Amino acid sequence: MTDPAGAPPASEPAPGAVISARHLTKTYQLGEHAVHALRDVSFDIQRGEFVAIMGPSGSGKSTLMNLIGALDTPTSGELSINGAAVSSLDKDQLADLRNRTIGFVFQQFNLLARTSALNNVKLPLSYSRDPAKQARGDELAAQKLQDVGLGNRMDHVPSQLSGGQQQRVAIARALVNSPSLILADEPTGALDSETSLEIMNLFRRLTESGMTVVLVTHEPDVAAHARRLLRVRDGRIVEDRPTAEGSLRASVSTPRPPSSRCG
Amino acid sequence: MLRSVLTTLGIIIGVASVIVMSAIGSGASKQIEDQISSLGTNQLTIFPGSANVGGRQGGFGSAPPLTEKDLRAVRDGVTGVMAASGNLNGNANVVIGNANWSTQVQGVGSEIEQVREWSVVKGRFFDAREAASGAKVAVLGDTVANELFGAGDPVGATVRINNAPFQVLGVLAKKGQAGGRDQDDVVMVPISTARSRLVGRLGAPDQIGSLLVKVDPRYNITEVQADIERVLRERRRIGADKDNNFIIRNFAEFLETRNQAAQTLGLLLAATAAISLVVGGIGIMNIMLVSVTERTREIGLRMAIGARGGDILGQFLTEAVLLCLVGGLIGLTLGAGVSFMVAKLLSWPMHISPVIVLVAIAASASVGVVFGFVPARRAARLDPIEALRYE
Ligand SMILES: Nc1ncnc2c1ncn2[C@@H]1O[C@H](COP(=O)(O)OP(=O)(O)OP(=O)(O)O)[C@@H](O)[C@H]1O
Ligand SMILES: [Mg+2]
């Protein structure tokens, strides 16, 4: 009963949930033709969860990520991010919500070329409405780069970094403003399997320290690192269950040290 | 980088041409102002004008010449005339030893000092008696003194002017350039001497080429001018229905008119500048639109991590303004350089006023704001999802 994946969502947003989705639909109108990208999707994601979303191409995964990332608003249904109802927010408030609450990680990294790792990581702080954070930009960015193991690469520009390193810079950027939620749409899509493992281990460590991570992936190996799996098909959630990893964790009250894991 | 510089070319050229034109233009009007003060204020020049005989307009100087008698009539018969001098010009070769200098010789009366506000820095000017008696004395302009004597003292020396010996009485204070002419390249001799030795055939034995009058500043110069006109018409027996056969010119007024012409030129210049800045602005708008398109993904990313539409607008406006300011500064430097070169090569006076520099900078910044707005707004209105997906 502590397993959030098992409990069917109530019609009211769950208090304390990082994400609470109720009957979300998203319909794109292409001329006469309506594309139902999402149909009646409901779920909750609690703090510290590590969720993988899988599904065939065109099933609505990215559409869902855009909604829970406050980049887009649903056609109908209710979505709360950290208790704030997204539909009641205007564009600027959505931007501020993204800045404070959400860290994005993209398949193509989306780092600014000709800009040092440090300044790339600092970027979200320049849009912070908190002057104290802006003032501490260098310090916070350097700290996050240390955390992802790139303390010695701060002055490197993206072209001087490997794909995995670039993605770690992007993760540091997503973390720099201490968000509640990391959203990653195919973060390992452009990386080889070894580097993917590195990135997934980084995400796992983040969730162990309380960060919430939701990622989209096509690779079962990658999804296996998460603890909960949402499977989407034709705009609906067709499966919501703990992964093998998740079941294991649920049965063991204290997490095992990482060194004892294999895989 | 190269592309940006090419784009700002419009602004660069616009600003540079404004600077050059205004440097030269305001140099000219500054020169006019200087000229007005160097000519002396409250001064009237009278010379024989075209005679209107039986409806036929004669050429310049075809009217009867002015004479010493006219001068006396004006000086003694018109209230408000402080001083008056005849003036008869010719060119002559001035020689001392091996040094030789070709210059303008002005035959003038002793009152010229007062009329033209000349002063003597060394020695003295000739007095009224010398002026009337045809004494062979001369006062040298600064340039002539330098050319012939260098650092030496000319006072007391004897120079030969057109082969006749003249004693140098003094040296005039430096006056500088006026109308592209060196006012110090001159030798002044008594008008009576000039008449007999230096200028050719004359229309009257006591002829003066022109009559220079200094009006007492306590009198109204227009009224004094009308009085002089009345006296001269009477003396020259001009009927009430006939036009003057002489011209009275208020030189300061004349220069004032030229100054106004310079201002009109300035207006024209402003129009040219506006056009080139608009052309430059369109270039800026173009490159900013290209830049917004090229950086669509970056804009999407910035929006995803929390940039508001206003932040993006501000960013692109700032870039447009900076681009324009850089162009403006390059144009400023270029313009100043070209002005300096023009001033050097054509020995034209140059003056870059701080006002025009500020105006140029403000104008380039405004071009950035105005023409950067459309691209910046386009960037700010992008949809973050589509921008992120843009290839
Ligand atoms: N802006 C849009 N306009 C019209 N249709 C859209 C738009 N965005 C997405 N769709 C449609 O919505 C459906 C879901 O798209 P979405 O991008 O969410 O799929 P996905 O699961 O992320 O696929 P993939 O695995 O290929 O990334 C697709 O049919 C897509 O064509
Ligand atoms: Mg997708």
Side-chain angles (χ1 to χ4, degrees):
Chain A
M1 59 183 266
T2 51
D3 184 359
S11 56
E12 287 294 300
V18 176
I19 295 168
S20 186
R22 293 293 175 274
H23 311 295
L24 291 186
T25 67
K26 183 73 189 180
T27 309
Y28 293 106
Q29 203 67 41
L30 290 178
E32 313 252 298
H33 188 66
V35 179
H36 298 282
L38 287 179
R39 319 169 193 242
D40 193 16
V41 171
S42 301
F43 60 91
D44 291 318
I45 293 176
Q46 307 293 336
R47 190 178 124 84
E49 279 201 74
F50 188 5
V51 183
I53 301 177
M54 293 190 80
S57 185
S59 55
K61 305 181 296 293
S62 295
T63 305
L64 184 58
M65 289 294 266
N66 290 338
L67 288 181
I68 62 184
L71 283 166
D72 207 353
T73 46
T75 309
S76 70
E78 281 301 317
L79 176 70
S80 302
I81 300 174
N82 257 358
V86 168
S87 54
S88 66
L89 303 180
D90 66 21
K91 279 183 119 183
D92 284 353
Q93 288 171 321
L94 286 175
D96 292 352
L97 176 72
R98 291 195 293 271
N99 184 252
R100 273 183 284 109
T101 323
I102 298 159
F104 288 94
V105 177
F106 305 92
Q107 180 174 357
Q108 295 303 334
F109 323 137
N110 280 341
L111 299 175
L112 299 188
R114 293 188 297 279
T115 304
S116 71
L118 189 76
N119 285 329
N120 262 298
V121 173
K122 225 165 73 175
L123 199 60
L125 295 175
S126 62
Y127 299 115
S128 170
R129 309 289 146 186
D130 179 359
K133 271 192 175 167
Q134 286 196 24
R136 290 175 58 213
D138 280 336
E139 180 199 333
L140 290 172
Q143 180 60 49
K144 294 302 169 192
L145 276 172
Q146 299 275 7
D147 291 353
V148 299
L150 289 176
N152 55 345
R153 293 281 194 279
M154 297 199 202
D155 299 329
H156 289 47
V157 296
S159 61
Q160 298 167 331
L161 297 170
S162 72
Q165 287 171 333
Q166 289 187 54
Q167 195 60 302
R168 280 192 278 158
V169 172
I171 291 168
R173 178 180 65 192
L175 291 170
V176 74
N177 207 9
S178 324
S180 318
L181 177 63
I182 298 284
L183 295 179
D185 197 344
E186 301 189 39
T188 59
L191 302 174
D192 60 42
S193 53
E194 207 163 317
T195 319
S196 298
L197 184 66
E198 207 177 273
I199 296 297
M200 293 312 289
N201 279 331
L202 179 55
F203 279 139
R204 187 180 43 72
R205 281 207 305 280
L206 288 171
T207 56
E208 278 164 3
S209 61
M211 182 62 68
T212 312
V213 175
V214 180
L215 63 85
V216 168
T217 183
H218 283 286
E219 298 155 76
D221 288 357
V222 169
H225 286 84
R227 282 187 244 152
R228 176 180 171 192
L229 178 72
L230 285 180
R231 199 175 290 280
V232 183
R233 187 166 294 141
D234 277 340
R236 291 180 218 276
I237 295 182
V238 294
E239 189 180 3
D240 182 354
R241 62 164 174 85
T243 58
E245 177 79 19
S247 315
L248 201 59
R249 294 300 172 98
S251 60
V252 180
S253 52
T254 48
R256 288 174 299 171
S259 54
S260 65
R261 279 185 72 244
C262 48
Chain B
M1 186 60 211
L2 177 68
R3 194 175 63 178
S4 307
V5 171
L6 286 178
T7 314
T8 53
L9 216 54
I11 306 257
I12 294 176
I13 292 172
V15 169
S17 55
V18 170
I19 295 296
V20 173
M21 300 298 270
S22 80
I24 290 171
S26 66
S29 62
K30 196 171 175 346
Q31 183 189 39
I32 288 168
E33 275 165 37
D34 292 350
Q35 225 168 315
I36 290 172
S37 57
S38 80
L39 280 171
T41 45
N42 291 328
Q43 190 197 312
L44 296 174
T45 308
I46 303 141
F47 41 89
S50 50
N52 198 339
V53 186
R56 266 181 58 233
Q57 197 80 18
F60 183 83
S62 63
L66 292 164
T67 64
E68 294 282 355
K69 290 188 239 11
D70 292 320
L71 186 151
R72 278 194 294 277
V74 167
R75 182 172 50 205
D76 304 335
V78 178
T79 40
V81 172
M82 247 171 101
S85 166
N87 184 358
L88 204 55
N89 292 349
N91 287 304
N93 218 20
V94 186
V95 179
I96 179 156
N98 298 336
N100 133 27
W101 185 249
S102 176
T103 183
Q104 189 190 44
V105 177
Q106 285 185 8
V108 291
S110 59
E111 286 178 24
I112 192 73
E113 249 192 301
Q114 218 181 331
V115 175
R116 295 272 331 257
E117 291 165 15
W118 282 100
S119 59
V120 168
V121 283
K122 273 184 214 154
R124 62 173 182 89
F125 213 82
F126 41 83
D127 58 26
R129 204 178 41 77
E130 285 165 324
S133 69
K136 288 189 280 181
V137 291
V139 177
L140 306 184
D142 185 72
T143 305
V144 178
N146 275 331
E147 291 295 339
L148 293 179
F149 293 92
D153 185 4
V155 177
T158 299
V159 295
R160 299 186 77 83
I161 302 178
N162 281 3
N163 279 326
F166 279 72
Q167 193 197 352
V168 177
L169 291 182
V171 176
L172 293 166
K174 201 170 167 59
K175 279 219 147 182
Q177 296 271 336
R181 231 198 83 234
D182 180 5
Q183 295 190 86
D184 301 311
D185 190 1
V186 72
V187 171
M188 293 203 174
V189 299
I191 189 165
S192 51
T193 318
R195 214 177 275 135
S196 58
R197 300 198 167 267
L198 301 174
V199 290
R201 216 162 47 80
L202 292 172
D206 59 349
Q207 179 173 346
I208 57 178
S210 58
L211 171 53
L212 307 177
V213 172
K214 170 84 172 177
V215 177
D216 188 327
R218 287 168 301 181
Y219 288 81
N220 180 319
I221 190 162
T222 323
E223 282 169 21
V224 174
Q225 183 174 341
D227 276 355
I228 293 173
E229 188 177 342
R230 192 178 41 72
V231 166
L232 286 177
R233 280 178 74 90
E234 220 166 84
R235 284 190 51 77
R236 293 161 82 89
R237 297 198 173 73
I238 301 170
D241 54 338
K242 295 270 179 15
D243 288 338
N244 290 346
N245 58 7
F246 58 92
I247 293 162
I248 306 182
R249 180 159 286 167
N250 182 339
F251 223 57
E253 205 172 72
F254 168 70
L255 289 175
E256 213 69 77
T257 324
R258 266 184 60 184
N259 209 355
Q260 272 161 17
Q263 274 166 14
T264 315
L265 196 84
L267 225 66
L268 211 73
L269 171 81
T272 318
I275 290 170
S276 54
L277 284 179
V278 166
V279 171
I282 291 170
I284 294 292
M285 183 149 90
N286 186 47
I287 197 170
M288 289 308 293
L289 284 172
V290 170
S291 163
V292 167
T293 307
E294 282 179 351
R295 291 161 67 187
T296 300
R297 274 173 79 96
E298 178 194 324
I299 296 164
L301 167 81
R302 287 176 183 272
M303 287 177 158
I305 63 176
R308 294 180 181 184
D311 295 324
I312 301 293
L313 187 84
Q315 179 194 344
F316 279 89
L317 265 188
T318 309
E319 281 181 26
V321 168
L322 280 180
L323 204 58
C324 286
L325 277 180
V326 168
L329 287 179
I330 295 176
L332 212 62
T333 319
L334 196 73
V338 170
S339 309
F340 187 73
M341 257 164 52
V342 167
K344 263 250 143 93
L345 293 178
L346 305 181
S347 63
W348 183 278
M350 178 194 86
H351 178 72
I352 296 179
S353 77
V355 175
I356 202 83
V357 170
L358 285 181
V359 165
I361 291 173
S364 1
S366 328
V367 166
V369 173
V370 170
F371 290 91
F373 184 73
V374 167
R377 195 185 50 180
R378 172 176 290 190
R381 286 185 175 176
L382 283 176
D383 174 50
I385 299 168
E386 270 164 31
L388 275 168
R389 236 193 337 238
Y390 186 85
E391 290 303 324

